[in-house]
Amino acid sequence: MTEHPEPAPDLHGDLAPLREKTIVLVGLMGVGKSSVGRRLAGVLDLPFRDADNEVEAAAGRSIPAIFAELGESAFRDGERRVISRLLDEPPHVLATGGGAFVNPETRALINQKAVSVWLKADIDLLARRVSRKDNRPLVKGKDPVQVLTELAKTRNPAYAEAQVHVQTGDTPHMVAVEAILAALRARPPVAPS
């Protein structure tokens, strides 16, 4: 008779049901979609994809360069195509750019093929975070609080259509990961796409 070693205890509980569909993180810039997404993917043992990085790779240039050379509408069109391609891949964690989920076609595709998670945070916290980097074309040379307040006004109704909402704060990333896991577990089971 073959003995099987006792499996190591899973500190996060049974994660298998959460690995059945791609998890797409949406929300305003600075909320932590990429940094939290990487950690969430690690906990779930899923690949991590960053839509912004994938758009840059497909375009062969940086997002600020795409905005400067081609404009926001060309960027959004490329972003939609890249996200559509990524959603056809096996389950993974996908961090999207702040405006991706605002596009009705992209939003419908994400909600059909994946589980959308809206990460929310206080505007002042987001402004502090985005001020630390110089790679955000929408806030370059502007007051980040004002820009983020306007973006929240126009984008929050779209974000509200996400299937899961998670409030985050100025805490370690793993606190946000645990909140996402709890919110995903609280959802009714969904059939794989």
Side-chain angles (χ1 to χ4, degrees):
M1 181 172 169
T2 308
E3 284 192 41
H4 295 283
E6 186 74 25
D10 185 348
L11 301 177
H12 300 281
D14 180 18
L15 298 175
L18 305 184
R19 293 186 186 103
E20 293 174 2
K21 288 185 96 165
T22 291
I23 298 166
V24 180
L25 303 179
V26 304
L28 288 172
M29 68 179 89
V31 77
K33 297 179 299 286
S34 295
S35 49
V36 170
R38 278 187 192 86
R39 287 162 180 82
L40 177 64
V43 168
L44 291 172
D45 195 24
L46 287 173
F48 172 76
R49 302 276 186 278
D50 185 302
D52 285 349
N53 293 346
E54 299 284 340
V55 169
E56 288 180 335
R61 59 186 87 175
S62 71
I63 288 172
I66 298 168
F67 268 75
E69 297 165 23
L70 305 172
E72 184 175 358
S73 104
F75 169 75
R76 296 294 172 209
D77 187 49
E79 179 181 57
R80 180 186 46 73
R81 289 194 313 270
V82 164
I83 289 172
S84 177
R85 174 179 52 83
L86 292 171
L87 291 175
D88 286 336
E89 291 183 3
H92 57 277
V93 174
L94 174 61
T96 61
F101 202 68
V102 177
N103 177 302
E105 190 179 339
T106 304
R107 185 167 62 251
L109 198 60
I110 289 170
N111 279 337
Q112 174 193 2
K113 293 188 168 190
V115 178
S116 54
V117 178
W118 177 18
L119 296 182
K120 304 187 278 185
D122 178 73
I123 295 291
D124 290 328
L125 172 61
L126 297 178
R128 283 195 307 275
R129 288 179 180 169
V130 301
S131 298
R132 294 179 201 150
K133 295 182 181 176
D134 194 26
N135 65 342
R136 312 242 185 211
L138 294 177
V139 294
K140 193 169 183 110
K142 301 175 186 160
D143 173 17
V145 172
Q146 184 179 353
V147 170
L148 287 160
T149 300
E150 287 303 312
L151 286 173
K153 236 184 268 181
T154 59
R155 293 179 176 181
N156 283 359
Y159 295 153
E161 293 183 34
Q163 297 153 332
V164 175
H165 299 187
V166 175
Q167 184 69 41
T168 66
D170 198 7
T171 58
H173 294 1
M174 285 309 291
V175 173
V177 168
E178 293 297 336
I180 293 167
L181 292 173
L184 289 170
R185 281 192 183 98
R187 289 184 80 236
V190 290
S193 57

